Amino acid sequence: MGLTAVLGDITTMEVDAIVNAANAALAGGGGVDGAIHSAAGPTVLEECQAIIANQGPCRTGRAVATSAGALPATWIIHVVGPIWTQHEPVENSTLLANCYSSSLDVAAELGATTIAFPAISTGVYRFPRELAAPIAVSTVLNWLSQNKRNTSVDTVTLVCFDSENLRHCQQALTDIA
Ligand code: AR6
């Protein structure tokens, strides 16, 4: 069981499930969401639209799964991060932590062993990166230690798209792990 941080493009990760930093409408967009949909192909957006038609918009911090289309992964877990300017700092932290724990809950329901996360909310949604990284690291480590006896999830990778996010994640791993 373990948590690591790497520099890379999440669309290329050969893991069971990758997490997408989506919006409430699961409508696709820019950033990692755009990269995932364009690499996965149109079937994933169709599945997203079916989920929205069935349940309405996704609440912040909640995760849903689709297949992964043309990606090497088997599943995409779509989760909506907090928009930094819409909440107080404490609520932002709770909502971001919920993104990581609810995605891991969904991964466990799917029976996924390996899961990769992007740095949720640290792009367009403007969550400060130095605050987001320790929340990601501590939430994943807590979830793994609380669920180690009864989960398929074994290996979690934080995929950083730039060296600044990687530095924050490595610092958080050093401080917390
Ligand atoms: N692999 C890994 N990380 C990536 C990749 C990639 N291919 N591309 C970007 N990132 P953002 P958010 C990093 O804006 O802040 C979308 O339009 C990026 O460097 O993608 O949660 C959605 O539709 C950043 O650190 O997501 C929503 O409307 C991180 O991914 C909205 O943006 C997150 O940046 C969500 O905003």
Side-chain angles (χ1 to χ4, degrees):
M1 239 179 194
L3 172 64
T4 53
V6 300
L7 193 62
D9 175 353
I10 202 164
T11 64
T12 67
M13 292 294 291
E14 297 192 359
V15 291
D16 296 330
I18 64 165
V19 175
N20 180 21
N23 52 59
L26 300 185
V32 70
D33 193 8
I36 288 172
H37 277 288
S38 77
T43 57
V44 174
L45 195 56
E46 286 165 18
E47 285 183 58
C48 287
Q49 288 163 345
I51 290 168
I52 295 298
N54 185 42
Q55 64 156 49
C58 285
R59 295 216 319 267
T60 302
R62 297 291 297 275
V64 295
T66 66
S67 62
L71 295 180
T74 304
W75 298 285
I76 301 169
I77 297 171
H78 306 262
V79 69
V80 184
I83 300 171
W84 178 256
T85 54
Q86 290 189 354
H87 310 277
E88 295 300 318
V90 172
E91 191 184 6
N92 269 313
S93 300
T94 303
L95 289 168
L96 187 64
N98 291 348
C99 289
Y100 286 90
S101 57
S102 69
S103 297
L104 290 164
D105 288 341
V106 169
E109 284 163 22
L110 294 167
T113 301
T114 51
I115 176 165
F117 282 92
I120 299 164
S121 285
T122 66
V124 174
Y125 283 1
R126 296 269 170 242
F127 204 109
R129 292 171 161 208
E130 68 281 9
L131 302 181
I135 291 168
V137 167
S138 61
T139 305
V140 171
L141 290 175
N142 282 340
W143 191 97
L144 288 173
S145 91
Q146 281 165 13
N147 292 279
K148 62 186 166 200
R149 284 188 189 79
N150 56 358
T151 186
S152 58
V153 176
D154 181 67
T155 304
V156 179
T157 308
L158 302 176
V159 181
C160 302
F161 202 51
D162 54 72
S163 54
E164 184 201 351
N165 260 341
L166 182 65
R167 188 166 45 79
H168 290 307
C169 285
Q170 286 175 332
Q171 186 65 52
L173 281 165
T174 306
D175 292 345
I176 298 166

